[in-house]
């Protein structure tokens, strides 16, 4: 199977404003390969560098060391081929309506109006927002804004979908529905997905493999677990519970070590 995303010995150093205390090394020797068509979930303690990894793959940040490649080419800049759903719901353009936000990339790429409208309708339907298409972000709940972001990312039909804790702000029921939707889209389209979450259960439910990061500074991949369970998955299954406990112990160990650093 071919490699879609490759981070090789990646370091990421952030300059600290004012120079006091020196720079902060978020990642050091971070190595990860994500296979084409794979659903990869990334877990790790808060502040360890999960979003930084995603921003490097998206092309918003450049590595300080090592290399970041997508389908064999070094990532140089953001591209419509990599759709991003950001952690913050502030990622929408506040001066554009829901449909203008979703159609933004299509407009930028000069997609013809008829095709643009068809893509728009399909994706608004997918995330359950057709009745809210004329609203502005400020008129939407947090969960609705996340759904607009998902529709916006999918509208460009990217080969790679990068999702940063996309369901953190959703109520349990909507979250469940969106998880099912994302699983369905993934299996129907064969997209390669990196999905960041805090929720171990969500990771096991969605992923082919789950990677756990070490705490920062100098975070890297601590453990990768293969989720070899048939889909659709059931949380009450013994193998699921065993995986849950194993991942939970790994994360717990990092979180406790962080308190003693
Ligand atoms: N642009 C930035 N400038 C300075 N420090 C940053 C920047 N982005 C992230 N960091 C720092 O890098 C570390 C990792 O951040 P982040 O990737 O957002 O973690 P996570 O998503 O796992 O919570 C944090 O300590 C954060 O403060
Ligand atoms: Mg983050």
């Amino acid at each position: 199977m071919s490699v879609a995303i490759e981070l090789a010995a990646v370091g990421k150093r952030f300059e600290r404003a004012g120079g006091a205390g020196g720079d902060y090394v978020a990642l050091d020797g971070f190595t990860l390969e994500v296979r084409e068509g794979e659903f990869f979930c990334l877990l790790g303690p808060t502040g360890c560098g999960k979003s930084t990894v995603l921003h490097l793959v998206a092309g918003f940040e450049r590595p300080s060391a090592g290399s970041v490649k997508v389908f064999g080419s070094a990532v140089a800049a953001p591209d419509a081929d990599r759709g991003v759903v950001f952690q913050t719901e502030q990622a929408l353009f506040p001066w554009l309506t829901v449909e203008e936000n979703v159609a933004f990339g299509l407009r930028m790429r000069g997609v013809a109006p008829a095709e643009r409208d068809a893509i728009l309708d399909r994706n608004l339907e997918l995330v359950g927002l057709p009745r809210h298409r004329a609203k502005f972000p400020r008129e939407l709940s947090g969960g609705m804004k996340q759904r607009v972001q998902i529709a916006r990312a999918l509208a460009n039909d990217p080969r790679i979908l990068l999702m940063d804790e996309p369901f953190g702000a959703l109520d349990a029921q909507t979250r469940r529905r969106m998880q099912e939707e994302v699983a369905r889209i993934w299996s129907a389209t064969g997209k390669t997905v990196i999905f960041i979450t805090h929720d171990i259960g969500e990771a096991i439910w969605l992923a082919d493999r789950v990677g756990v990061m070490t705490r920062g500074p100098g975070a890297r991949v601590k453990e990768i677990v293969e989720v070899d369970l048939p889909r659709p998955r059931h949380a009450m299954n013994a193998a699921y519970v065993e995986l849950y406990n194993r991942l939970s112990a790994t994360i717990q160990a990092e979180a406790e070590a962080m308190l003693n650093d």
Side-chain angles (χ1 to χ4, degrees), residues 47 50-52 87 164-165 196:
K50 301 181 294 298
S51 294
T52 301
Q87 186 168 7
D164 196 351
E165 303 193 32
I196 294 174

Side-chain angles (χ1 to χ4, degrees), residues 20-166:
D23 295 347
Y24 182 75
V25 178
L27 307 176
D28 186 17
F30 186 98
T31 293
L32 173 68
E33 284 186 0
V34 178
R35 304 162 193 148
E36 183 167 11
E38 181 174 33
F39 202 118
F40 191 92
C41 279
L42 196 56
L43 288 168
T46 304
C48 74
K50 301 181 294 298
S51 294
T52 301
V53 170
L54 211 76
H55 294 166
L56 286 163
V57 177
F60 301 130
E61 299 275 5
R62 311 301 301 275
S64 317
S67 68
V68 180
K69 291 183 184 169
V70 165
F71 295 115
S73 303
V75 170
D79 189 280
D81 221 22
R82 277 163 272 137
V84 183
V85 177
F86 294 91
Q87 186 168 7
T88 165
E89 48 183 66
Q90 266 81 56
L92 296 172
F93 303 115
W95 61 90
L96 298 180
T97 62
V98 166
E99 61 181 10
E100 287 165 345
N101 265 285
V102 175
F104 184 79
L106 302 170
R107 204 177 280 275
M108 292 296 284
R109 288 190 292 120
V111 175
E115 189 188 347
R116 200 171 67 209
D117 287 348
I119 294 171
L120 186 59
D121 288 350
R122 189 165 70 240
N123 283 285
L124 287 175
E125 189 70 43
L126 194 61
V127 297
L129 288 174
R131 286 183 300 111
H132 304 283
R133 57 194 301 154
K135 287 186 179 164
F136 286 93
R138 63 173 177 275
E139 300 176 88
L140 305 176
S141 68
M144 286 157 89
K145 280 187 259 194
Q146 285 308 90
R147 282 145 69 193
V148 177
Q149 275 210 69
I150 292 168
R152 181 174 67 175
L154 289 173
N156 293 311
D157 194 24
R159 281 175 89 185
I160 293 175
L161 206 47
L162 305 169
M163 307 181 86
D164 196 351
E165 303 193 32

